[in-house]
Amino acid sequence: MLGFLTARQAGLDDPLRLRRAESTRRVLSLTLNPDREVDRIHGNAINTIDIEVIEGRYMLSGGADGVIVIYDLENYSGKTQYTCKAVCTVGRSNRYVHKFSVETVQWYPHDTGMFVSSSFDKTMKVWDTETLKPAEVFEFEDNVYSHHLSPIARKHSLIAVGTKDPKIQLCDLKSGSRIQVLQGHRAEVLSVRWSPRHEHILATASADSKVKVWDVRRASGCLFTLDQHNGDKTKAASEAVNTAHNGRVNGLCFTADGLHLLTTGTDDRMRLWNSATGENTLVNYGKVSNGSRKRLQFTVSRGCSPELVFVPCESSVAVYAVHTGALVTMLRGHYNNVDCCEFHPDYQELYTGGKDCNILAWIPVLRASDVEEESKSQMSTLPFRLPCEEEMTS
Amino acid sequence: MNRKRALISDTFKVKKRRNGTQKFGAVNDGDGPTDVRSSLEYLMTLFPRKLFDDRLPPIVMKHQLYSVHDDKTLVDKELNKLRERGELLMFQLGFDSDAFGLVFASDYKTKVLAGEDGRPTRATVERFLEKLLCPCTELSFSKDKMLREFLFTDSEITHLVKSGVLTVRDAGSWWLSIPNSGKFTKYFLQGRKAVLGMVKKSKYSEVLKAELEERRTTSHVKFHMKYHIHDIVGAELVESIPTTSGALLRCVES
């Protein structure tokens, strides 16, 4: 570590190198910490969480009872022991609360004045954070599984919505109407995701085992369908041709640079795809248990090398290296199935929510010397440092 | 958390290695290059030739290699290289869309031709094998391909199916297969079920690998115990946990 700092100081190394090395070290040491807790408001399973992009301070969570809670993640108390307090709640007593479970919540990508939530009560509501009243309600014919707003869009403000209907709807925030329908899937659409690299590219995953990538400017159809055998029709049984998985595809996540796409399916597999060509990179993650009938929210780390993907597997979260497929570790702590997880890139923290009504915060372990310095300031005299306490890594 | 020591990223790894640290329970240390070919040859020795009267070439399942080597992606890449060189053949065995059988090309050729000795279909099969072994990395063939590229007639295709080299996949396409492999699949699945049952019935559903290898096998288990253990570990039906007394196999709840 000292080597990195000196090299950075002298200008021998790029500043990014030190940052990457330290981020990776922190991500590899994620653990549950008794000092950090998230307020328990939900009385039911937590289906979705989202951390806002602008400051990384506020977190939204949506539960199976229709309740939406906003938490403040910043610790301004000055003490190490901190509970992330709920700032406001859209509870059961609110007039406009969703009638059934909230499946997806997302902050408006450009500021925290607005957030969008979609639910099994066949509506998608655009809320005003200040007043906690919906500014807009979109109604659908079927349960809404997932929606997503593009995080980088400047030219459009479309929300892609995946419902039980095989057609994907694009709703416009500016005009408040449904302006486009993307046809192509044959069964319910479980997950939709905009690319973080190109604002017009959308990926959708469906229960018919297919993942399609669309350019919304194109009227004719999808750009391509992901094929797990890369066009080698001889590998699979003839029904499985052109499918991304051998079961329902219920999770989609782009890597931070948008060059790769990760998909998970109920065939207990996770696959990594090149998002430009649709080619299966054939990275083998082994068995990634997945029994979810709805969308699975998983996330990729940002700013580390190697990048790690955090996938909820039953009641623990599996951490894999994205490009090699090696299992790094399993994060165990929940009492029941984990449904969603979200990575906080500035502090390298992971927040996971599950059926046990808890949101757990996984914090990087502090370096040993920090703990030692605190004890030094508490004790008045310490003649010499024992060699075993010195840092082993340098 | 299940880690005894904290994870260290590669950039921070301590350069000095202490002498004499033994890694318990591990079969391979990850330093040397993964030699997939020698592990294949080792697993082939576990295959019981006598059981099938020497009519079958030694078959290894692809996921058995995952229990020997840590990095699955690397194993897959090496296997593809061997297949492209024409040394190895991969078969879809039919009981699981993910289970692939591997046979060395030379073994396959000798056994198939030995099986065809004296039969009128021998010439067709020989021709097919020649076309196949100039590196063919496909698992199935469509009628189109057989007629145009390989220049086989319909009656010749029927001969090939009769001799067991091709198996019906759907109307107009066939899987590449190993003749007389039905018995292999039957014994394999029977044995896998029996060994899994042995692990499940143990106290806490876990058993030391060394102890399992020592146990007396019932008549259902016809293959070598090690063959089945590699299979269930590689297919992730049991978890292999390193302990101070050796590797422990624990049933994965599903």
Side-chain angles (χ1 to χ4, degrees):
Chain A
M1 182 61 190
L2 291 177
F4 276 105
L5 284 170
T6 336
R8 164 80 175 85
Q9 244 179 341
L12 292 166
D13 259 353
D14 197 84
L16 191 60
R17 193 151 177 257
L18 169 65
R19 189 174 166 170
R20 274 238 159 91
E22 184 59 16
S23 301
T24 318
R25 188 202 69 84
R26 283 170 66 87
V27 172
L28 287 175
S29 63
L30 281 179
T31 179
L32 284 177
N33 197 323
D35 286 339
R36 179 72 76 94
E37 251 189 358
V38 178
D39 220 4
R40 283 236 202 93
I41 305 284
H42 282 282
N44 241 306
I46 293 161
N47 281 332
T48 174
I49 46 183
D50 187 44
I51 301 177
E52 45 121 357
V53 195
I54 306 105
E55 271 186 318
R57 182 172 173 180
Y58 295 104
M59 179 166 79
L60 263 178
S61 76
D65 46 4
V67 170
I68 302 171
V69 187
I70 304 176
Y71 305 89
D72 180 358
L73 299 177
E74 278 295 323
N75 181 0
Y76 289 125
S77 64
K79 293 182 279 208
T80 45
Q81 216 285 332
Y82 176 66
T83 309
C84 300
K85 287 262 171 267
V87 170
C88 51
T89 317
V90 175
R92 297 302 313 164
S93 54
N94 189 314
R95 261 184 68 194
Y96 307 101
V97 70
H98 280 287
K99 293 198 184 62
F100 297 125
S101 80
V102 175
E103 289 303 309
T104 318
V105 280
Q106 194 192 358
W107 286 105
Y108 181 57
H110 306 296
D111 65 59
T112 53
M114 197 158 77
F115 61 89
V116 188
S117 70
S118 63
S119 139
F120 268 4
D121 67 357
K122 306 180 188 168
T123 62
M124 181 168 73
K125 297 192 176 164
V126 181
W127 300 82
D128 178 341
T129 324
E130 208 68 30
T131 56
L132 285 184
K133 291 206 185 103
E136 185 71 58
V137 178
F138 293 93
E139 309 236 345
F140 299 94
E141 282 92 44
D142 268 314
N143 292 350
V144 182
Y145 279 112
S146 154
H147 77 259
H148 198 231
L149 282 121
S150 174
I152 50 164
R154 295 272 161 221
K155 295 212 185 83
H156 69 79
S157 48
L158 294 171
I159 313 178
V161 185
T163 65
K164 216 160 170 185
D165 194 35
K167 297 198 276 265
I168 300 143
Q169 315 245 16
L170 294 176
C171 305
D172 185 22
L173 265 185
K174 285 212 186 94
S175 59
S177 59
R178 244 81 60 79
I179 59 173
Q180 209 174 338
V181 166
L182 301 174
Q183 295 208 31
H185 280 296
R186 296 225 183 94
E188 45 195 22
V189 180
L190 293 172
S191 181
V192 292
R193 209 87 189 155
W194 291 93
S195 160
R197 202 176 172 84
H198 304 287
E199 56 177 350
H200 295 288
I201 303 291
L202 174 71
T204 59
S206 158
D208 64 358
S209 322
K210 298 211 170 102
V211 175
K212 287 184 191 274
V213 177
W214 314 77
D215 183 333
V216 294
R217 296 169 293 188
R218 196 165 129 161
S220 49
C222 69
L223 285 177
F224 46 84
T225 310
L226 299 183
D227 182 5
Q228 56 176 310
H229 302 292
N230 283 335
D232 186 5
K233 290 198 180 59
T234 62
K235 276 241 172 83
S238 29
E239 308 85 51
V241 168
N242 229 17
T243 55
H245 282 267
N246 292 326
R248 302 155 72 99
V249 189
N250 54 15
L252 276 182
C253 185
F254 276 95
T255 54
D257 51 15
L259 293 172
H260 292 273
L261 174 65
L262 279 158
T263 59
T264 56
T266 51
D267 60 346
D268 293 342
R269 297 274 176 263
M270 183 160 70
R271 298 194 209 275
L272 181 71
W273 311 81
N274 181 328
S275 56
T277 59
E279 183 204 336
N280 184 355
T281 56
L282 298 174
V283 177
N284 195 333
Y285 298 95
K287 185 173 170 197
V288 180
S289 14
N290 186 339
S292 173
R293 286 196 67 80
K294 303 184 294 187
R295 183 184 79 119
L296 185 73
Q297 184 183 351
F298 64 100
T299 182
V300 185
S301 67
R302 258 158 283 170
C304 305
S305 136
E307 295 287 3
L308 301 170
V309 55
F310 304 93
V311 191
C313 271
E314 314 289 313
S315 59
S316 49
V317 179
V319 184
Y320 291 95
V322 173
H323 295 282
T324 60
L327 175 65
V328 173
T329 183
M330 297 282 276
L331 299 174
R332 295 201 169 90
H334 277 280
Y335 298 127
N336 210 327
N337 282 359
V338 181
D339 284 326
C340 50
C341 59
E342 188 70 36
F343 186 72
H344 192 320
D346 298 328
Y347 296 111
Q348 288 85 39
E349 290 164 357
L350 183 72
Y351 292 89
T352 54
K355 284 205 171 68
D356 57 355
C357 321
N358 282 336
I359 299 183
L360 291 181
W362 305 81
I363 314 290
V365 167
L366 290 173
R367 279 176 173 276
S369 58
D370 291 337
V371 177
E372 192 228 291
E373 270 162 23
E374 264 186 57
S375 62
K376 256 176 109 173
S377 60
Q378 280 172 12
M379 297 168 72
S380 47
T381 51
L382 196 70
F384 56 88
R385 279 159 68 160
L386 297 167
C388 62
E389 282 172 58
E390 270 181 67
E391 268 193 306
M392 287 297 289
T393 60
S394 61
Chain B
M1 300 285 274
N2 59 345
R3 293 200 302 261
K4 286 215 164 87
R5 285 167 199 84
L7 292 169
I8 307 177
S9 76
D10 287 331
T11 41
F12 283 118
K13 273 230 160 70
V14 180
K15 300 229 169 53
K16 276 190 231 163
R17 285 262 170 111
R18 287 193 223 138
N19 291 328
T21 37
Q22 283 288 336
K23 267 204 219 159
F24 41 71
V27 174
N28 252 346
D29 49 352
D31 288 328
T34 44
D35 194 356
V36 170
R37 208 210 160 92
S38 54
S39 344
L40 264 179
E41 276 161 19
Y42 160 67
L43 288 167
M44 297 269 179
T45 59
L46 295 173
F47 182 83
R49 289 169 183 258
K50 280 185 296 193
L51 191 62
F52 303 103
D53 299 326
D54 232 4
R55 270 181 302 153
L56 272 189
I59 308 172
V60 172
M61 307 296 287
K62 186 167 94 155
H63 57 258
Q64 284 175 323
L65 282 169
Y66 297 154
S67 71
V68 177
H69 295 284
D70 281 327
D71 194 348
K72 295 186 177 90
T73 318
L74 211 60
V75 168
D76 285 343
K77 281 199 186 135
E78 292 286 316
L79 285 177
N80 278 333
K81 271 193 221 160
L82 284 173
R83 284 174 67 211
E84 267 154 37
R85 281 195 292 216
E87 291 170 16
L88 195 67
L89 288 170
M90 195 155 94
F91 301 92
Q92 168 66 272
L93 290 171
F95 53 85
D96 191 0
S97 59
D98 258 341
F100 294 104
L102 302 166
V103 181
F104 279 124
S106 45
D107 287 337
Y108 182 70
K109 190 168 180 183
T110 39
K111 295 291 180 196
V112 169
L113 288 178
E116 285 294 308
D117 248 342
R119 284 206 220 153
T121 48
R122 194 208 154 93
T124 333
V125 173
E126 218 177 315
R127 235 181 81 203
F128 179 70
L129 283 178
E130 249 140 72
K131 288 265 166 69
L132 187 72
L133 293 177
C134 48
C136 169
T137 52
E138 284 168 9
L139 276 75
S140 78
F141 304 94
S142 67
K143 189 159 185 180
D144 207 32
K145 182 163 184 162
M146 296 291 285
L147 291 176
R148 296 224 197 111
E149 272 187 53
F150 290 175
L151 301 169
F152 278 105
T153 60
D154 262 337
S155 58
E156 286 177 330
I157 298 178
T158 324
H159 286 320
L160 290 173
V161 175
K162 259 177 76 179
S163 66
V165 176
L166 289 179
T167 310
V168 164
R169 179 181 161 211
D170 69 43
S173 72
W174 299 271
W175 293 114
L176 185 67
S177 81
I178 308 164
N180 307 319
S181 62
K183 233 177 160 190
F184 165 77
T185 316
K186 180 174 154 195
Y187 290 159
F188 181 77
L189 288 173
Q190 236 178 23
R192 182 198 250 192
K193 202 169 147 194
V195 173
L196 263 181
M198 278 163 78
V199 179
K200 269 202 195 130
K201 276 195 221 148
S202 311
K203 196 174 184 195
Y204 307 121
S205 301
E206 59 189 22
V207 67
L208 284 173
K209 190 155 142 183
E211 204 208 303
L212 190 62
E213 281 166 17
E214 302 283 300
R215 284 214 196 157
R216 270 178 49 207
T217 55
T218 59
S219 61
H220 287 292
V221 180
K222 301 220 168 36
F223 293 175
H224 199 294
M225 202 52 164
K226 286 197 185 170
Y227 191 84
H228 280 299
I229 291 178
H230 278 298
D231 163 50
I232 54 179
V233 173
E236 291 185 72
L237 297 163
V238 301
E239 220 184 306
S240 174
I241 301 159
T243 64
T244 45
S245 343
L248 181 74
L249 301 175
R250 182 183 288 157
C251 242
V252 167
E253 275 114 66
S254 53

